[in-house]
Amino acid sequence: VHVQAVLPGITRTAIWEKERLAQIPAEMVMSVDDMVDAALAGLDLRERITIPSLPDTADLDRFLAARGALRPNLSLRKPAPRYRA
């Protein structure tokens, strides 16, 4: 079993009202066919996370590493020193 999360950007679907899509630059709106093709290609590549419009997956890797670096300090018993009176 392979699990994949697909994080599409704005995709031309019925969820988006035509008036709303008209206000968004056309280069930001992906067709459903392109989004599905990219998602399936990502599945074939065994990507755990597929972002169809992301040109360089290294950007996602850096983001996930930065998020991981924050994890040990996201929930502590005391506020950070800069918040203590």
Side-chain angles (χ1 to χ4, degrees), residues 25-68:
E27 63 271 6
M28 292 179 65
V29 182
M30 189 175 292
S31 74
V32 172
D33 291 340
D34 285 344
M35 194 278 297
V36 170
D37 288 346
L40 291 173
L43 186 64
D44 288 343
L45 292 168
R46 297 280 191 199
E47 292 181 345
R48 290 177 40 206
I49 301 172
T50 297
I51 304 175
S53 62
L54 187 67
D56 187 353
T57 58
D59 293 337
L60 176 61
D61 295 338
R62 284 189 292 276
F63 168 76
L64 294 174
R67 188 181 74 174

